[in-house]
């Protein structure tokens, strides 16, 4: 392809266009139209842009976010230094990035402390960022405090080479099936889960289907002589 | 009784003798057990069993008639909806998620669209009429969903009239859906930015007829069931789960409200303007299957109240927009309901094909490519008929969701099945599972 030959690539792809300082770069987007493998001679195929999620937010966060974060930091004490890797306030939602070793401790405080009191865990959702080296797999927990009518998000990451995150079933028994689902779909091993088995896929299924490196699958559909490829190989836009 | 039924064979495994029972062949099981039968029997109920509400497999360890251990086997209806959504545009995502919990499609659509709107930062720009239509459809949907729960739950314990009248009223609700959205289910009607199209002519009259009909016929359920001694015997003190059990297991919706705690996201964290409607959150204090039935019954009345208020508001909103004003997001065409379902508006086709090249390009770009959503993540929860339905969306700034995950209340609530059933009779398992109202499309996604 003309747009992938070295002389056509931009001089520096790493320098430059990170949108906000501290933003979490998870991927790099190529080209303008998201179409790969066509003879694009427009030059736009050489475009490189960073895909960055909102970065850490400096204090003050606003509203109850400050009080709750400080309370949690106080409860964790000096042992818990660095347990909260990053605080992100985005679109009115508070996200705490937690170091995986301290997840259970943090969850215990969030549930039991009367100023925090996040009694209700809406489960865990896995996200796979294959190009975020060392933090490929994320487990995202959504907690609800019924007492204070607040929501908070905990995000924990682990490398693909060591996909272990401690289970919070001892704190939130409701997460039993949710963690099994995340193991099933993403291959995150929740240490300490009472019975971490597959839940949606058959027991002998190879692979973890919702990871980005797992293909969607599908076959060509032929209709009146025209062939339509399956959605993952179809021309698309990014 | 035949002893050579090919579908009811016996084989020996390492775990013991396995019988396939297809009904009325207990004699062959008893004779097959030999002289020293094992005390412990593991019964596989499902996945194909009418009273397991879809393809739910219950694994029951029984002693006599008593269930000593119960587990769920799920996943038989897993269709990879979340994965598929990663390969379609943000608007097309609605078409997928509406198929998850097929008894409450509008809640799936709303949760997803609210999450997309939060990511886009256009939550405040949704037209008032779109919000009222969303509430209208959701509350009609709550009625139709609860009707199915009560109807099938009644059928399973032999209350066939409850089933027939339940589906009669549900049909009236689905007729309204068909009139408004063009389809009885899988609507994909609520879209990021608003709803797909305006209310069709005559819809308000039909809604008023519906309200009159429901006011007349909803009392029949109470008359048939509320004080019916057989019905009460089957439901009372069955499937008991108190407030602390609900909290530990993350149970929401009618099972939680049947413990006397009126947690309802429509009240505590209102969305779509729920704070402007007058309605109550019914509770019951028995924490059993009967309480859940009464909560659902009362919720239908409250939903009817909201539907009535929506109809009054919509009567004053004729001609107002139902899609966000931002042309980079709002679907370019007003669709029209044809006699074969949803179709394109002829006026719009005339405009793009005959009058404006720019409109054609805009239409083409927005429909084939879609819009881009700024990178980030959002979690939005709505109160579905079964409890907290949450949607976690991650965007990488592209035209497709990077990750879509749904916290389906059926999935979470079904975790309570063992605690509801263990120690009870086999017949109570049916009642207890029905009182959780799991929909396997939502459980397995």
């Amino acid at each position: 392809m003309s747009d992938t030959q070295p002389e056509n690539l931009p001089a520096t792809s790493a320098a430059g266009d990170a949108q906000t300082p501290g933003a979490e770069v998870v991927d790099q987007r190529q080209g303008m139209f998201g179409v790969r493998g066509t003879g694009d001679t427009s030059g736009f195929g050489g475009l490189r842009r960073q895909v960055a999620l909102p970065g850490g937010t400096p204090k003050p966060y606003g509203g109850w976010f400050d009080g709750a974060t400080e309370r949690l930091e106080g409860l964790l004490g000096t042992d818990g230094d660095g347990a909260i890797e990053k605080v992100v306030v985005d679109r009115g939602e508070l996200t705490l990035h937690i170091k995986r070793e301290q997840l259970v401790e943090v969850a215990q405080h969030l549930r039991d402390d009367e100023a925090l009191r996040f009694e209700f865990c809406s489960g865990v959702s896995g996200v796979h960022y294959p190009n975020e080296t060392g933090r490929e797999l994320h487990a995202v927990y959504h907690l609800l405090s019924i007492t204070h009518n607040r929501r908070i998000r905990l995000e924990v990451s682990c490398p693909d080479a060591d996909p272990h995150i401690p289970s919070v079933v001892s704190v939130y028994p409701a997460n039993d099936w949710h963690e099994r689902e995340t193991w099933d779909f993403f291959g995150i091993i929740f240490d300490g889960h009472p019975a971490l088995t597959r839940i949606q896929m058959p027991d002998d299924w190879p692979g973890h289907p919702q990871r980005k490196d797992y293909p969607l699958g599908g076959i060509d559909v032929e209709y009146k002589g025209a062939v339509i490829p399956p959605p993952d190989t179809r021309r698309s836009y990014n | 009784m035949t002893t050579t039924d090919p579908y009811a064979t016996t084989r020996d495994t390492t775990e013991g003798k396995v019988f396939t029972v297809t009904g009325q062949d207990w004699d062959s099981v008893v004779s097959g057990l030999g002289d020293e039968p094992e005390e412990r029997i593991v019964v596989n109920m499902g996945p194909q069993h009418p009273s397991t509400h879809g393809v739910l497999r219950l694994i029951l360890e029984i002693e006599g008639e008593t269930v000593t251990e119960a587990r769920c086997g799920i996943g038989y209806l897993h269709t990879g909806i979340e994965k598929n959504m990663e390969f379609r545009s943000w608007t097309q995502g609605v078409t997928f998620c509406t198929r998850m919990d097929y008894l409450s499609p509008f809640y799936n659509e709303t949760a997803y669209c609210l999450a997309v709107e939060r990511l886009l930062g256009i939550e405040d720009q949704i037209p008032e009429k779109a919000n009222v239509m969303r509430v209208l459809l959701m509350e009609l949907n709550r009625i139709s969903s609860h009707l199915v729960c009560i109807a099938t739950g009644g059928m399973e314990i032999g209350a066939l009239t409850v089933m027939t009248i339940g589906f009669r009223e549900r049909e009236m609700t689905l007729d309204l859906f068909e009139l408004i959205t063009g389809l009885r289910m899988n609507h994909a009607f609520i879209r990021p930015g608003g709803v797909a199209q305006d209310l069709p002519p005559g819809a308000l009259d039909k809604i008023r007829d519906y309200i009159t009909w429901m006011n007349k016929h909803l009392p029949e359920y109470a008359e048939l069931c509320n004080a019916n001694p057989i019905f009460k015997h089957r439901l009372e003190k069955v499937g008991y789960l108190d407030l602390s059990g609900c909290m530990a297991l993350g149970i929401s919706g009618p099972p939680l409200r049947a413990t006397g705690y009126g947690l309802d996201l429509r009240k505590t964290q209102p969305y779509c303007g729920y704070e402007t409607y007058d309605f109550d959150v019914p509770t019951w204090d028995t924490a059993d299957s009967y309480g859940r039935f009464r909560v659902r019954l009362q919720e239908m009345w409250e939903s009817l109240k909201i539907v009535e208020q929506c109809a009054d508001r919509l009567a004053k909103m004729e001609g107002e927009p139902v899609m966000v004003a931002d042309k980079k997001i709002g679907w370019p065409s007003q669709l029209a309901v044809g006699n074969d379902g949803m179709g394109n508006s002829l006026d719009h086709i005339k405009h793009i094909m005959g009058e404006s090249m720019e409109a054609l390009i805009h239409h083409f770009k927005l429909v084939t490519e879609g819009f881009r959503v700024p990178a980030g993540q959002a979690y939005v929860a709505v109160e579905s008929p079964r409890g907290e339905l949450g949607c976690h969306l991650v965007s990488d700034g592209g035209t497709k969701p990077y990750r879509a995950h749904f916290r389906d209340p059926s999935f979470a609530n079904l975790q309570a099945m063992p605690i509801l059933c263990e120690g009870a009779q086999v017949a109570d398992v049916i009642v207890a599972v029905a009182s959780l109202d799991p929909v396997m499309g939502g459980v397995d996604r």
Side-chain angles (χ1 to χ4, degrees):
Chain A
M1 285 317 119
S2 61
D3 57 336
T4 52
Q5 283 162 5
E7 68 269 23
N8 290 339
L9 289 176
T12 49
S13 56
D17 65 342
Q19 289 109 344
T20 42
E24 189 182 337
V25 179
V26 292
D27 208 349
Q28 199 183 56
R29 180 168 291 142
Q30 292 185 16
M32 183 128 184
F33 306 108
V35 187
R36 277 172 287 272
T38 63
D40 179 11
T41 54
S42 69
F44 286 116
L47 200 65
R48 299 277 185 281
R49 281 171 298 164
Q50 286 185 346
V51 175
L53 295 176
T57 312
K59 284 183 181 181
Y61 311 127
W64 58 268
F65 294 168
D66 292 289
T69 327
E70 272 160 31
R71 177 83 188 179
L72 181 62
E73 277 164 356
L75 287 166
L76 288 168
T78 45
D79 301 342
D81 269 354
I84 304 174
E85 291 173 333
K86 189 165 64 170
V87 180
V88 180
V89 178
D90 182 45
R91 297 170 168 94
E93 296 181 359
L94 175 66
T95 309
L96 303 180
H97 288 253
I98 306 292
K99 206 185 259 182
R100 59 176 166 172
E101 289 81 12
Q102 266 124 333
L103 173 67
V104 178
E105 194 189 349
V106 168
Q108 189 84 47
H109 287 312
L110 285 173
R111 189 193 75 176
D112 292 344
D113 184 66
E114 61 181 29
L116 299 168
R117 204 63 100 204
F118 289 90
E119 309 96 335
F120 188 91
C121 182
S122 311
V124 53
S125 158
V127 191
H128 185 210
Y129 299 101
N131 295 322
E132 204 189 352
T133 314
R135 292 160 52 84
E136 286 93 348
L137 292 164
H138 289 223
V140 185
Y141 302 79
H142 292 98
L143 308 179
L144 167 69
S145 165
I146 299 170
T147 310
H148 302 292
N149 199 20
R150 296 164 176 173
R151 279 187 196 280
I152 197 173
R153 176 185 298 124
L154 303 183
E155 191 157 342
V156 187
S157 68
C158 64
D160 201 5
D162 176 34
H164 289 268
I165 287 176
S167 164
V168 296
V169 170
S170 57
V171 183
Y172 294 110
N175 254 22
D176 183 344
W177 283 20
H178 296 278
E179 288 184 359
R180 281 177 63 192
E181 187 186 309
T182 308
W183 147 250
D184 196 353
F185 286 151
F186 289 90
I188 299 175
I189 300 165
F190 291 94
D191 296 322
H193 187 284
L196 196 68
T197 50
R198 286 187 184 268
I199 186 163
Q200 302 284 17
M201 307 306 288
D203 288 344
D204 54 353
W205 193 264
H208 300 282
Q210 287 187 3
R211 292 165 59 102
K212 290 287 175 185
D213 50 15
Y214 191 98
L216 179 68
I219 54 165
D220 290 346
V221 176
E222 196 182 324
Y223 183 66
K224 294 193 175 174
V227 175
I228 300 147
D232 54 340
T233 56
R234 223 177 269 171
R235 179 190 165 120
S236 67
Y237 306 86
N238 63 14
Chain B
M1 182 56 53
T2 167
T3 47
T4 53
D5 184 349
Y7 299 107
T9 50
T10 306
R11 62 199 159 86
D12 283 301
T13 67
T14 48
E15 314 232 305
K17 246 189 166 117
V18 172
F19 298 92
T20 307
V21 182
T22 57
Q24 280 126 48
D25 46 7
W26 293 104
D27 288 341
S28 62
V29 176
V30 171
S31 59
L33 280 174
D35 296 333
E36 287 174 11
E38 277 186 81
E39 287 293 312
R40 175 174 158 275
I41 302 175
V42 179
V43 173
N44 256 316
M45 203 166 110
Q48 307 294 345
H49 191 282
S51 65
T52 52
H53 292 252
V55 280
L56 169 64
R57 173 180 168 209
L58 301 176
I59 305 143
L60 308 173
E61 192 177 310
I62 57 175
E63 249 182 73
E65 275 288 306
T66 308
V67 177
T68 52
E69 247 187 290
R71 292 290 180 273
C72 285
I74 63 169
Y76 295 92
L77 207 56
H78 176 60
T79 43
I81 285 175
E82 292 172 356
K83 176 94 174 170
N84 268 291
M85 288 170 79
E86 294 171 11
F87 293 88
R88 315 282 172 146
S89 76
W90 291 94
T91 306
Q92 286 173 321
V94 180
T95 317
F96 280 87
C97 70
T98 189
R99 283 159 170 79
M100 297 185 315
D101 182 343
Y102 43 80
L103 291 184
S104 53
F106 289 115
Y107 292 91
N108 305 335
E109 296 174 18
T110 307
Y112 171 74
C113 289
L114 289 175
V116 177
E117 284 156 14
R118 179 168 296 174
L119 283 172
L120 283 166
I122 58 165
E123 283 176 303
D124 304 331
Q125 299 166 30
I126 307 305
E128 178 62 20
K129 188 168 186 183
N131 273 334
V132 178
M133 283 181 70
R134 285 177 179 182
V135 171
L136 170 82
L137 290 167
M138 279 195 283
E139 292 309 320
L140 287 172
N141 202 175
R142 189 181 309 275
I143 296 175
S144 75
S145 173
H146 281 351
L147 280 171
V148 173
C149 172
I150 291 173
T152 54
M155 179 188 73
E156 285 157 12
I157 58 168
L160 275 181
T161 313
V162 177
M163 190 271 279
T164 53
I165 64 167
F167 278 96
R168 179 188 69 199
E169 260 80 79
R170 175 172 181 261
E171 206 63 23
M172 312 284 293
T173 322
L174 294 189
D175 285 348
L176 271 186
F177 290 162
E178 192 176 352
L179 176 73
I180 296 171
T181 72
L183 294 164
R184 288 156 54 90
M185 61 192 294
N186 301 339
H187 314 274
F189 184 74
I190 296 169
R191 305 272 176 92
V195 296
Q197 67 181 97
D198 205 348
L199 224 49
L204 280 178
D205 295 334
K206 286 280 195 298
I207 295 170
R208 302 234 184 260
D209 292 348
Y210 173 82
I211 294 169
T212 316
W213 172 278
M214 291 305 273
N215 274 322
K216 181 163 170 248
H217 290 285
L218 263 188
E220 288 173 19
Y221 297 87
E223 282 160 19
L224 279 168
C225 303
N226 280 6
N228 180 332
I230 304 173
F231 191 83
K232 286 180 79 170
H233 250 97
R234 288 300 304 274
L235 266 68
E236 274 182 336
K237 299 189 178 66
V238 169
Y240 181 83
L241 186 63
D242 62 6
L243 181 58
S244 50
C246 283
M247 281 291 117
L249 290 169
I251 309 296
S252 51
L256 174 62
R257 291 192 283 272
T259 67
Y261 186 49
L263 178 71
D264 191 322
L265 293 174
R266 293 176 294 172
K267 287 282 187 199
T268 57
Q269 301 184 344
Y271 47 92
C272 294
Y274 265 114
E275 66 277 15
T276 59
Y277 295 88
D278 171 38
F279 67 100
D280 296 320
V281 178
T283 57
W284 202 257
D285 60 1
T286 54
D288 59 2
S289 299
Y290 183 72
R292 286 165 214 148
F293 162 74
R294 291 298 291 266
V295 166
R296 290 197 178 96
L297 197 56
Q298 196 55 39
E299 278 185 8
M300 291 202 285
W301 282 107
E302 298 301 325
S303 292
L304 203 59
K305 260 164 68 180
I306 302 176
V307 168
E308 212 165 345
Q309 294 168 54
C310 289
D312 291 344
R313 292 182 191 195
L314 286 170
K316 297 178 202 143
M317 292 179 146
E318 207 167 321
E320 286 186 25
V322 294
M323 184 51 92
V324 69
D326 189 343
K327 293 287 183 206
K328 293 278 181 199
I329 296 165
W331 200 246
S333 71
Q334 270 285 310
L335 299 174
V337 174
N339 51 11
D340 58 346
M342 189 99 78
N344 285 318
S345 145
L346 291 177
D347 285 340
H348 179 72
I349 292 176
K350 189 177 157 222
H351 179 60
I352 61 170
M353 300 304 283
E355 294 168 356
S356 167
M357 182 55 132
E358 288 73 22
L360 176 66
I361 296 170
H362 175 70
H363 181 116
F364 182 76
K365 285 285 278 180
L366 199 52
V367 173
T368 58
E369 184 175 336
F371 49 81
R372 285 178 174 73
V373 171
Q377 53 183 333
Y379 179 83
V380 178
V382 300
E383 186 72 32
S384 97
R386 277 160 273 282
E388 172 173 326
L389 172 69
C391 177
H392 175 226
L393 276 185
V394 184
S395 172
D396 66 345
T399 57
K400 296 173 285 190
Y402 188 76
R403 160 89 169 130
H405 174 72
F406 287 88
R407 188 261 184 206
D408 193 277
S410 298
F411 180 80
N413 289 3
L414 201 53
Q415 291 188 80
M417 193 284 290
I419 201 171
L420 295 186
C421 298
E422 285 174 5
Q425 304 244 298
V426 179
D428 293 340
V429 172
I430 311 286
V431 175
V433 172
S435 77
L436 289 174
D437 191 19
V439 175
M440 298 316 288
V443 173
D444 293 342
R445 282 157 288 136

